[in-house]
Structure formats: structure tokens, C-alpha cells
Amino acid sequence: MTRTWLHLPALAWAFLIAISTLRAASAPDVIVAADGSGKYTSLQDAISAAPMRTGRNDPRWVIFVKRGTYRERIYVQRERGNILVRGEDAATTIITYDQHANLPGPDGKPIATYRTPTVHIDGDGMIWENITLANSAGPVAQALAVRADGDRLVFRRCRFLGWQDTILVNRGRHYFEDCYIEGHVDFIFGGATAYFSRCHLHCLKDGYITAASTPDGTQHGYVFADCRITGAEGVKAYLGRPWRNFARTIFLRTEMSSVIPPAGWDNWGKSDAERTTFYAEFGSTGPGANPAARVPWTKPLSAADVAALTPQRVLGGADRWDPAKP
């Protein structure tokens, strides 16, 4: 006798329902393909066509981006933030542009850093997966790959390529998981609260990895957990320097190559910042881990402090946001 769905045991029912739900959740609303095989050839066009969904419980609009190089600048307005952009493969699905701070604007003056991003996100609740976000301007000036102004932003298995000022986490709360981030000077900077889990940070030349501008009174700035730091041969790069005097940056259980100098941190020539910053490490490993030689104004962390530095605790806020359930 042929078994039908009506005769399936309870566990089999649960499995089939779960599979059906997963397929429905992952099915894209639109496909972007550079070769014309999708509905759009431009990611910006696909984002601009997304419905106005701003509520936390609104269904998330899913955009699938096929392999290819998309040379375009992306802007996600606040009313369209509730979007998932999923690339086919992070290494070969690339969004790139080359705008930099020294380019002249309409008034003939340099446009400056904030107007350079390849991807600018104003909307809340956006997710990016399996994609490269790059600024290809190179060593000419500040040139953002991403400017993040929205809240509750998630990046998983993404690559961020740039030189100076690769990622501006400007405001809001952001979660990065299993990402690759490269740059030279201050290539992660800004005033947001951001959590980096199992990320690979690669230093292209002598410089600084972070330049936090955490507002005074903010509990958390940047937390890097279980990450890895590498660099080009002979490069030396500090873990951070304070763009603003209340910068907060913490590294937990991070593997550090010899790219990190013994002092670890730099005060940006501001001795007063040594009293107000919160720079700390816990469980660093590798040739660049040298707690005895670190600058004396770094802060200690206890095991209890570290236990509280989970993504949910750091990013939760008043609404108890959990980046694992965005």
C-alpha cells in the first residue's frame, strides 16, 4: 500500500513541515543576474522595487543575487530596510564602485568621506549574506565600501574590501558573522555598537584596524569575539585608536599574527583619551598577543565581564534584539 501524507507519523509530519517552511522562507522574491537571466540586472533596481516594509513583523523581502560583478552604488532608504540580500557566493558575487573622498562634488570641492560608500544603508532590519561589498578606489583617499546608518543590521559570510575607512558603522546596532574585512587605516570606524563574531581582519599596510567614536555614556562600542587578524608581510597595525575620546573596543579570544605590535593600541596623539577610552583584550593568542607589553591604559576584563559580552547582551538594547533571530 502506498503511504500518503495522511498516514505519516507525527515526527515525519514535523520534518516535512519544517522543510516546507525553510524552502518558503529562503525562496527569493526577486533574482538579480548580471547576465539578464533574473528579473533585474541591477541590485539597486531590485532594492528600489521592494515594498515599503518598516514594521518588525513585516515579511522580509528576499533578493537573490547571482554570481557576477555589479559596478554600482547602492542606497537603501529607511522605508525599505526590511530586506535580505543573499549572494550566490561571496567570492564571486561582487558589488563594487570606486568613489573616494578627493573627488570633486558639484561645488568643485572634495566630496569627503561620508559621500563615498559603495553601499549606504539607512533602513533598519536588513540582512546581507554571501556577498562582497567593495570600494576599489585604492590608496588615494578615504573610500567607504559600506556606510551603516540603519539599526539591527546583520552581515553573514560577507567580504568587505577597501583601503582607508572600509566600513563606517555610523550609528545603530550591527552584527557581523564569519566575515572577511580588509583595509589599511581605520578600516572599521564610527559610533555604532557592533559585534564581530569569527571574522577575519586583514591589514594591507601599516595602520590601524579600528577607530571607534563611541558616544560618551554608551555601554558598548565594538566587540570582536573569536576572530583572526592577519596582515601582508612586514605590516604593523594597531588594534585601535580613538577617533573620539570615549572609544570602546574589545577583543575576545582573538588570534593575532605578528602584524599587531607589542603596544597594541595607539592614543592618536591625545593623552587625554587615555583616561576616557575603554580598550581591552581577553584570551588573545598568537605572536601579536603580548599582554605584558600593552599600553598601560588598557582596561582589565574579568571572566564575569567576558561572560556578559554575548551578541544578545551587547546588541540587545531596550527592545532585546537578538541577531540570531533578526
Side-chain angles (χ1 to χ4, degrees):
M1 180 178 176
T2 302
R3 183 178 294 275
T4 67
W5 277 42
L6 292 175
H7 295 92
L8 287 174
L11 285 176
W13 265 107
F15 175 76
L16 287 170
I17 291 171
I19 291 296
S20 300
T21 302
L22 178 61
R23 286 175 176 166
S26 61
D29 293 288
V30 293
I31 294 175
V32 176
D35 62 7
S37 61
K39 185 171 183 179
Y40 299 99
T41 57
S42 160
L43 176 56
Q44 181 64 71
D45 288 348
I47 288 172
S48 297
M52 300 288 195
R53 293 176 172 174
T54 57
R56 292 285 293 271
N57 296 321
D58 291 342
R60 185 171 277 106
W61 185 256
V62 179
I63 300 171
F64 180 71
V65 186
K66 288 189 175 182
R67 290 184 177 92
T69 298
Y70 302 82
R71 179 176 163 75
E72 58 179 324
R73 298 188 69 216
I74 305 297
Y75 176 64
V76 184
Q77 69 191 89
R78 185 162 297 279
E79 294 79 7
R80 287 193 170 94
N82 199 12
I83 297 172
L84 164 60
V85 176
R86 177 180 290 127
E88 187 170 2
D89 171 73
T92 56
T93 310
I94 301 167
I95 312 298
T96 185
Y97 209 75
D98 58 359
Q99 190 143 300
H100 61 81
N102 286 341
L103 289 173
D107 59 0
K109 297 178 181 179
I111 61 173
T113 306
Y114 278 56
R115 295 172 64 184
T116 66
T118 298
V119 176
H120 182 183
I121 306 167
D122 260 341
D124 298 341
M126 195 172 193
I127 302 173
W128 295 76
E129 296 178 345
N130 310 328
I131 200 164
T132 291
L133 307 177
N135 191 310
S136 59
V140 292
Q142 298 92 333
L144 307 178
V146 172
R147 173 177 167 177
D149 288 285
D151 189 32
R152 306 188 317 277
L153 305 183
V154 174
F155 302 89
R156 294 194 182 98
R157 300 175 301 279
C158 293
R159 298 194 310 155
F160 300 87
L161 310 183
W163 187 257
Q164 183 172 355
D165 296 0
T166 306
I167 299 176
L168 168 57
V169 282
N170 198 34
R171 55 176 174 258
R173 295 165 292 173
H174 315 312
Y175 178 69
F176 298 78
E177 181 179 277
D178 297 317
C179 292
Y180 172 85
I181 307 167
E182 71 175 25
H184 160 35
V185 174
D186 305 335
F187 60 93
I188 301 169
F189 75 112
T193 296
Y195 200 102
F196 300 82
S197 178
R198 301 189 306 272
C199 291
H200 179 184
L201 314 176
H202 187 69
C203 307
L204 298 174
K205 198 173 180 181
D206 291 359
Y208 311 87
I209 296 173
T210 69
S213 56
T214 317
D216 185 12
T218 302
Q219 185 175 7
H220 298 291
Y222 308 160
V223 176
F224 296 84
D226 306 297
C227 293
R228 181 163 66 105
I229 300 173
T230 60
E233 186 176 355
V235 163
K236 294 297 180 184
Y238 290 89
L239 295 170
R241 61 176 181 169
W243 183 19
R244 299 290 183 265
N245 281 15
F246 292 90
R248 300 179 69 91
T249 303
I250 296 171
F251 285 85
L252 306 176
R253 303 175 301 274
T254 294
E255 180 185 343
M256 302 179 183
S257 74
S258 59
V259 68
I260 304 301
W265 307 85
D266 182 83
N267 69 4
W268 209 327
K270 301 181 290 187
S271 58
D272 54 328
E274 297 179 6
R275 294 180 284 104
T276 53
T277 56
F278 192 99
Y279 285 159
E281 298 172 64
F282 186 92
S284 299
T285 60
N290 195 338
R294 290 295 193 250
V295 293
W297 39 276
T298 55
K299 303 298 189 294
L301 288 175
S302 67
D305 293 332
V306 172
L309 292 170
T310 65
Q312 293 77 14
R313 295 281 291 274
V314 171
L315 300 172
D319 60 359
R320 298 183 180 179
W321 179 51
D322 182 351
K325 303 173 184 178

